Amino acid sequence: MEKLVVIDGSFWLFSCYYATAAMGNLMVNKDGVPTNAVYGFANRLESLLKQNPEYIVVAFDAKGKTFRSELLEEYKGTRKPTPDELVCQFSMIREYLEAHHIPYIEKEGYEGDDIIGTISKKASSQGMEVAVYTNDKDMMQLIDSNVKQYKKPQKTNDYEVITVESFKEKYNLEPDQMRDLLGLMGDSADNIPGIPGIGEKTALKLLNQYGTIENLKEHMDELKGKMGEKVRTNIELGLLSKKIATIITDAPVELDLDAWKYEGQEYNDDLAEFYRRYDMNSLLKRMSLSTETKQSKPLEYKIVETLPNIKKNTALIVGVYDTNYHKSAILGFGLYNKDEAYYISLENAMHDENFKSFLKDEKIEKYGYDIPFTILVDPTTACNKKCIGCWAADYNKALNLSFEQLDKLFTEGKELGIYFYIMTGGEPLVRKKDILRLAEKHDDCVFMIFTNGTLIDQQFCDDLCRLGNIVPTISVEGFGDATDGRRGKGSWKDIMRAMDLMKLNKVPFGFSTCFTTANCDSVLSDKFIDLMIDKGAFFSWYFTFMPVGCGTDTSLMANPDQREKLYRTIRGWRNNKAIFNMDFWHDAEYVGGCIAGGRRYCHINANGDVEPCVFCHYSGANIKEVSLVEALGQPLFREYQKNQPFNENQFRPCPILDNAPKIAEMVKNSGAKSTEFINPEEVDDLCKKTIEYGKTWAKRAEPLWKENLRCKKGCASCSKKDEKNNYMKV
């Protein structure tokens, strides 16, 4: 009988982490990256592979909600937040399995249990022996004549094998009745309630008599005393608990035995390199391989005039003449996959039918990646302020990206040519020490820090002068009353102190302001901008208030008169004020419209969700789970690419504020989910707040845009319109 080994990857990883972390033994490699969970997983897997299984596959929980959390909001609600030291190993374990050529499966909308359940039943129905490696007791419901569960006790390397016979001996039930048992007694590990007051002993007694919860319901009037009262009062909760505890056995997962066939322990260079990179030298020794870093071989490629027939997933790289790839002339094309690499010149490519067929083939799914100029990232959501209208909105206030995760992000970003990073939050300077370490390590990058200024002191100024690649941007809302009104009493005084300190130490800095109906006149006054210049600010960011998050105050959104005033004032200042002013909305014409979705920039929140924009809290990718380049290729970003520009009038660039139906369309088409933790906002609800605003602004924006175009064509003065409307025609 052929044997299939199925591993509960999520359980293994968590149990390996806590087995060592609980004793304070948190392994790290030479770069400080935690490795204890992956190391334990690898040790456990290597021991298992000595048995030479015929087929093997690992199942993981996918990110996101399942039907269980929809049925019961509190499902798994008692679990502690996953430690950052473990989260950063999620992607590492997948890297390990890929290096080892061990297949794994994860499916959005399904738990690993459901994948295992589906695989087990399909394999069993074909007469295969299935070994399920997990300690989860709900998995016992899958046991049959061909399916066995292998449970690992804490203090031994041996596995307890649970069969139909041993299950019956322990519970006097059939394995499928485990669903009913959990439905009655609940499961504290997953926060499944069961029937309050019913423990295992009572649940077994009821099931031995009635068989199922459904049958118990039919006969519950027979039950006497307090137990009968408990059952009758909570029977529906018991049925719900059973439904939640039931493992799906018809998930959309195929039995791919060809892909899961284990070819034996032929250790390869990829696996050896993985062990070296993470300092797992004991595992290297088992491979009888050197711990010295393997020298990488130069890429071998062929220069061709005609492209061969390519059938594998292949990367297409466009070779350009200079760094501005949007405008540069094309030199040729590189094509690369795991087994082959080619270069073909532009001239040859244009005449090569194979190349043109490769590009035109509709059967080949094509993904494009915009590489942004900059990335805005939140090191933390923690903050010492609670500002009205903060773009962080309902983000959980206890989220952080670890030093290792940020380091990995910047490293991957530089590989893509990204050397400018913006940090916000939360208050990023809560993570001051980590930010300084990162700036020092990545001294070829520039970091702009949006801060409330309260944590800037002399020592920090000394550090900024020493490093030279951090530029603070202090948030202000006008003068004292306005700033204190939005950011809290004493904020204005702290800001003035911070600015004076940076000016004294010759630290270059700027300011940012959120433009609202309340502060319009103040922040657009000559008195205000002159004060900022006098304080030493070199630049400014003006952001229009965005109604992000549930329950936000939409009355703060600037009306058309105020928004036009913003546009005209900023452009006027550029002619007579010694400061570089940026208008985040109306300067869109200088960058070709909206810059979000990875086109020129994107946002990564403190949970690792990669969002199109700091104001757009939707995502389909997380840097804790995928590489940066994979995140940039997520479906939501591809939707952005297809739809940009969102409006030919680049005074209406935004898909949320100015073209509300666009954001709803893109989120729905991509399957992206809300990234807000406390009150996830449906995209249709967001659009309801902005759609009429966008229509109202359009009436003002259209003549402004036409005026702007006429001026660029050569009118004498955009402020002087004669009676004949003597502008050059567009």
Side-chain angles (χ1 to χ4, degrees):
M1 183 182 292
E2 293 183 308
K3 184 176 181 178
L4 168 64
V5 169
V6 187
I7 296 171
D8 184 348
S10 298
F11 169 78
W12 267 29
L13 194 65
F14 273 77
S15 63
C16 288
Y17 173 81
Y18 285 108
T20 53
M23 299 181 290
N25 184 17
L26 191 63
M27 295 172 55
V28 295
N29 75 342
K30 60 181 179 295
D31 297 320
V33 179
T35 59
N36 63 317
V38 175
Y39 180 80
F41 190 111
N43 263 310
R44 196 177 289 186
L45 180 61
E46 295 296 347
S47 297
L48 176 59
L49 292 177
K50 291 178 181 178
Q51 303 175 21
N52 288 312
E54 291 169 276
Y55 304 95
I56 186 169
V57 65
V58 182
F60 289 108
D61 295 334
K63 183 190 175 187
K65 293 185 177 181
T66 68
F67 79 94
R68 296 179 179 90
S69 51
E70 297 291 341
L71 289 173
L72 183 67
E73 188 176 348
E74 298 82 11
Y75 178 63
K76 296 186 177 181
T78 55
R79 292 188 177 182
K80 296 179 180 179
T82 306
D84 287 343
E85 293 82 5
L86 175 55
V87 170
C88 68
Q89 297 182 68
F90 288 174
S91 59
M92 195 189 305
I93 193 61
R94 290 159 174 79
E95 184 184 350
Y96 162 74
L97 292 171
E98 289 170 359
H100 211 324
H101 302 166
I102 302 294
Y104 64 88
I105 303 175
E106 49 194 337
K107 200 78 174 177
E108 185 176 354
Y110 297 90
E111 295 185 24
D113 291 3
D114 302 320
I115 295 171
I116 294 171
T118 301
I119 290 172
S120 299
K121 289 304 179 186
K122 286 185 176 182
S124 177
S125 68
Q126 295 186 18
M128 296 184 70
E129 180 184 348
V130 183
V132 179
Y133 283 80
T134 184
N135 283 24
D136 283 356
K137 59 186 173 185
D138 57 346
M139 300 289 261
M140 294 181 189
Q141 64 188 267
L142 302 175
I143 295 171
D144 62 24
S145 58
N146 293 327
V147 180
K148 301 179 179 68
Q149 181 175 340
Y150 287 70
K151 182 179 178 182
K152 190 178 187 303
Q154 288 186 349
K155 298 182 179 181
T156 177
N157 290 324
D158 297 326
Y159 288 89
E160 176 190 352
V161 184
I162 305 173
T163 64
V164 173
E165 292 73 22
S166 63
F167 182 89
K168 287 181 178 180
E169 184 178 348
K170 182 175 182 178
Y171 294 105
N172 195 30
L173 300 173
E174 295 293 332
D176 186 61
Q177 290 177 282
M178 175 55 70
R179 303 181 297 141
D180 297 275
L181 183 61
L182 293 173
L184 289 173
M185 60 181 279
D187 185 357
S188 59
D190 291 336
N191 202 31
I192 299 175
I195 294 180
I198 301 292
E200 181 176 294
K201 185 177 179 180
T202 303
L204 287 171
K205 180 181 178 181
L206 290 170
L207 292 176
N208 286 326
Q209 185 175 355
Y210 296 104
T212 66
I213 300 179
E214 288 81 2
N215 194 42
L216 173 63
K217 182 179 180 181
E218 295 295 322
H219 297 274
M220 61 185 179
D221 290 338
E222 301 172 5
L223 302 176
K224 302 188 183 294
K226 291 184 178 180
M227 183 180 69
E229 186 179 340
K230 291 175 183 176
V231 172
R232 285 186 288 275
T233 303
N234 298 287
I235 190 67
E236 294 302 328
L237 187 58
L239 288 167
L240 174 63
S241 297
K242 176 181 177 179
K243 189 173 183 178
I244 291 170
T246 298
I247 293 173
I248 293 173
T249 57
D250 60 352
V253 178
E254 298 300 322
L255 199 67
D256 192 354
L257 296 178
D258 289 339
W260 303 346
K261 187 172 180 61
Y262 181 59
E263 301 294 345
Q265 288 183 289
E266 296 181 1
Y267 295 108
N268 56 70
D269 291 340
D270 292 337
L271 183 61
E273 182 58 31
F274 177 89
Y275 287 152
R276 293 189 187 101
R277 184 161 62 255
Y278 294 108
D279 298 332
M280 299 181 184
N281 294 331
S282 63
L283 292 169
L284 266 176
K285 289 177 181 178
R286 296 185 199 179
M287 300 171 61
S288 299
L289 293 171
S290 170
T291 58
E292 296 178 2
T293 303
K294 182 180 178 347
Q295 296 296 317
S296 59
K297 295 180 179 178
L299 177 66
E300 296 181 0
Y301 64 95
K302 296 179 181 178
I303 299 175
V304 297
E305 296 182 0
T306 299
L307 192 69
N309 187 18
I310 298 176
K311 297 182 179 181
K312 296 184 176 182
N313 290 337
T314 300
L316 174 67
I317 301 97
V318 182
V320 295
Y321 183 75
D322 59 36
T323 56
N324 188 342
Y325 60 87
H326 293 286
K327 298 181 179 181
S328 176
I330 295 174
L331 297 174
F333 304 92
L335 295 98
Y336 170 80
N337 58 45
K338 186 177 180 181
D339 299 316
E340 51 194 339
Y342 305 100
Y343 176 82
I344 184 170
S345 68
L346 175 65
E347 183 179 358
N348 287 329
M350 294 299 96
H351 296 92
D352 181 23
E353 293 302 322
N354 285 353
F355 181 79
K356 290 188 278 187
S357 298
F358 174 77
L359 296 182
K360 293 178 181 179
D361 191 346
E362 295 182 356
K363 296 179 181 178
I364 301 175
E365 193 168 5
K366 300 174 179 65
Y367 302 96
Y369 293 83
D370 275 345
I371 306 301
F373 169 73
T374 186
I375 292 175
L376 191 153
V377 58
D378 301 345
T380 181
T381 53
C383 187
N384 55 346
K385 300 287 185 180
K386 190 173 177 63
C387 304
I388 300 170
C390 174
W391 58 38
D394 292 333
Y395 284 147
N396 186 301
K397 298 302 180 185
L399 293 173
N400 291 280
L401 289 174
S402 68
F403 176 90
E404 292 76 22
Q405 289 162 347
L406 291 166
D407 180 38
K408 180 174 179 286
L409 169 66
F410 301 147
T411 300
E412 291 184 356
K414 290 193 293 185
E415 291 173 354
L416 299 174
I418 307 169
Y419 288 86
F420 181 40
Y421 297 91
I422 304 171
M423 294 187 185
T424 182
E427 169 52 51
L429 294 189
V430 170
R431 301 278 306 281
K432 189 187 296 183
K433 290 182 179 179
D434 281 342
I435 289 174
L436 292 172
R437 285 176 61 200
L438 287 162
E440 186 167 18
K441 183 174 182 179
H442 299 277
D443 58 1
D444 50 351
C445 296
V446 174
F447 300 90
M448 180 178 288
I449 312 293
F450 281 86
T451 172
N452 59 43
T454 60
L455 300 178
I456 294 175
D457 53 20
Q458 182 59 54
Q459 181 57 59
F460 187 61
C461 287
D462 292 341
D463 289 327
L464 296 185
C465 292
R466 174 176 59 85
L467 294 171
N469 62 338
I470 298 177
V471 182
T473 302
I474 299 185
S475 300
V476 294
E477 310 305 324
F479 295 102
D481 290 345
T483 296
D484 285 358
R486 183 165 183 251
R487 300 191 175 274
K489 190 175 181 180
S491 296
W492 177 252
K493 182 179 178 181
D494 287 337
I495 288 170
M496 294 296 99
R497 175 196 55 78
M499 287 184 173
D500 290 340
L501 192 59
M502 287 190 289
K503 182 179 180 180
L504 178 65
N505 287 272
K506 299 182 179 180
V507 174
F509 72 93
F511 76 91
S512 72
T513 188
C514 180
F515 182 81
T516 72
T517 53
N519 69 1
C520 170
D521 293 334
S522 172
V523 297
L524 294 181
S525 67
D526 283 344
K527 182 180 178 182
F528 175 75
I529 197 67
D530 289 342
L531 174 63
M532 293 294 102
I533 295 169
D534 183 63
K535 287 292 179 180
F538 282 83
F539 60 89
S540 75
W541 289 95
Y542 276 73
F543 297 94
T544 300
F545 176 83
M546 291 285 287
V548 176
C550 299
T552 189
D553 185 0
T554 57
S555 68
L556 291 172
M557 298 166 65
N559 62 45
D561 287 341
Q562 294 168 330
R563 194 160 163 182
E564 181 177 347
K565 183 177 181 179
L566 172 66
Y567 158 70
R568 295 193 183 280
T569 301
I570 294 293
R571 299 208 174 191
W573 282 346
R574 289 173 183 164
N575 295 321
N576 56 34
K577 301 293 183 184
I579 186 172
F580 182 69
N581 294 296
M582 290 168 280
D583 180 349
F584 195 73
W585 255 254
H586 309 117
D587 285 346
E589 65 173 312
Y590 301 119
V591 288
C594 174
I595 62 175
R599 178 175 166 265
R600 298 290 180 97
Y601 108 115
C602 63
H603 176 238
I604 302 175
N605 68 25
N607 189 49
D609 299 306
V610 184
E611 304 168 334
C613 173
V614 73
F615 304 113
C616 184
H617 294 181
Y618 303 92
S619 177
N622 189 292
I623 59 165
K624 297 176 183 178
E625 300 168 358
V626 300
S627 67
L628 176 59
V629 72
E630 289 176 289
L632 293 173
Q634 64 172 285
L636 180 56
F637 280 27
R638 296 203 296 271
E639 286 293 319
Y640 263 74
Q641 293 171 26
K642 288 192 297 184
N643 284 276
Q644 288 168 317
F646 300 109
N647 202 299
E648 294 300 324
N649 182 335
Q650 293 181 8
F651 291 164
R652 299 172 58 197
C654 180
I656 299 176
L657 197 64
D658 304 320
N659 305 278
K662 288 288 186 182
I663 187 62
E665 177 187 323
M666 293 187 295
V667 168
K668 292 174 182 178
N669 288 345
S670 66
K673 306 297 181 184
S674 173
T675 55
E676 293 179 358
F677 281 80
I678 300 176
N679 292 304
E681 184 173 37
E682 295 294 333
V683 70
D684 286 334
D685 293 334
L686 174 62
C687 287
K688 288 176 183 177
K689 296 185 288 188
T690 61
I691 192 165
E692 291 302 321
Y693 176 92
K695 293 177 181 178
T696 303
W697 169 243
K699 297 176 182 178
R700 182 68 59 87
E702 291 306 317
L704 277 181
W705 182 242
K706 291 179 180 178
E707 173 190 313
N708 178 66
L709 291 177
R710 287 193 292 264
C711 290
K712 291 183 182 301
K713 288 287 186 177
C715 73
S717 172
C718 54
S719 62
K720 296 179 181 179
K721 298 183 181 180
D722 60 20
E723 296 179 353
K724 297 179 180 179
N725 196 24
N726 190 26
Y727 290 114
M728 296 181 64
K729 292 183 178 180
V730 179

